[in-house]
């Protein structure tokens, strides 16, 4: 029986978790699916996330993928996005506490390209 894979995408539960993810102490690449609250996370991305999980060595040690509704950014008093919410999801990439890139809309090739571009070495 093959080993069970962990869930690829997690929901950010609170401000402390969010701040820990985007902290300079977190050495993983953080891919954050920021979406309108009424829309929910971009479900069409799940197969892409699963593919990344199976194709990247030590994925769990190198990449975190989370979802977050736009209203939580306001709740968490975090303004690194500097953009008004839209009906499109935004995929935001953090590395060691810095916002390094983003993709507007579910542009799967662009998201995959950014993951590999910013993928850290195994720690």
């Amino acid at each position: 029986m093959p080993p069970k894979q962990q869930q690829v995408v997690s929901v950010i539960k609170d401000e402390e978790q969010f701040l820990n993810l985007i902290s300079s102490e977190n050495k993983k690449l953080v891919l954050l699916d920021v979406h309108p609250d009424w829309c929910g996370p971009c479900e069409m991305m799940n197969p892409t996330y699963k593919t990344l999980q199976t194709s990247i060595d030590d994925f769990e040690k190198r990449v975190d993928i989370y979802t977050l509704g736009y209203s939580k950014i306001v709740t968490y008093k975090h303004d690194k996005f500097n953009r008004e919410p839209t009906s499109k999801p935004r995929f935001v990439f953090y590395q060691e506490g810095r916002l390094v890139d983003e993709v507007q809309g579910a542009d799967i090739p662009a998201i995959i390209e950014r993951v590999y571009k910013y993928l850290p070495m195994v720690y």
Side-chain angles (χ1 to χ4, degrees), residues 42-103:
C42 189
E43 297 294 328
M44 69 180 272
M45 292 300 301
N46 286 338
T48 300
Y49 297 150
K50 287 280 189 193
T51 299
L52 288 168
Q53 180 186 36
T54 58
S55 64
I56 294 174
D57 291 336
D58 293 317
F59 179 87
E60 291 79 15
K61 295 178 182 178
R62 301 169 78 188
V63 181
D64 281 330
I65 303 175
Y66 283 86
T67 65
L68 179 67
Y70 279 124
S71 69
K72 294 293 186 183
I73 294 169
V74 174
T75 302
Y76 298 163
K77 298 173 184 66
H78 184 73
D79 192 27
K80 283 191 177 181
F81 301 122
N82 298 324
R83 295 243 173 31
E84 289 295 317
T86 69
S87 60
K88 290 182 182 180
R90 290 179 56 216
F91 298 87
V92 184
F93 298 82
Y94 282 94
Q95 195 166 43
E96 296 184 6
R98 295 182 345 257
L99 179 103
V100 292
D101 216 331
E102 70 177 76
V103 173

Side-chain angles (χ1 to χ4, degrees), residues 6-14 17-18 21 28 30-35 41-43 46 49-50 53 59-60 63-69:
Q6 74 175 45
Q7 182 177 347
V8 181
V9 182
S10 301
V11 176
I12 294 179
K13 294 178 177 48
D14 56 37
Q17 181 187 24
F18 174 70
L21 283 171
K28 293 183 182 181
V30 177
L31 168 53
L32 190 58
D33 171 355
V34 184
H35 56 273
C42 189
E43 297 294 328
N46 286 338
Y49 297 150
K50 287 280 189 193
Q53 180 186 36
F59 179 87
E60 291 79 15
V63 181
D64 281 330
I65 303 175
Y66 283 86
T67 65
L68 179 67

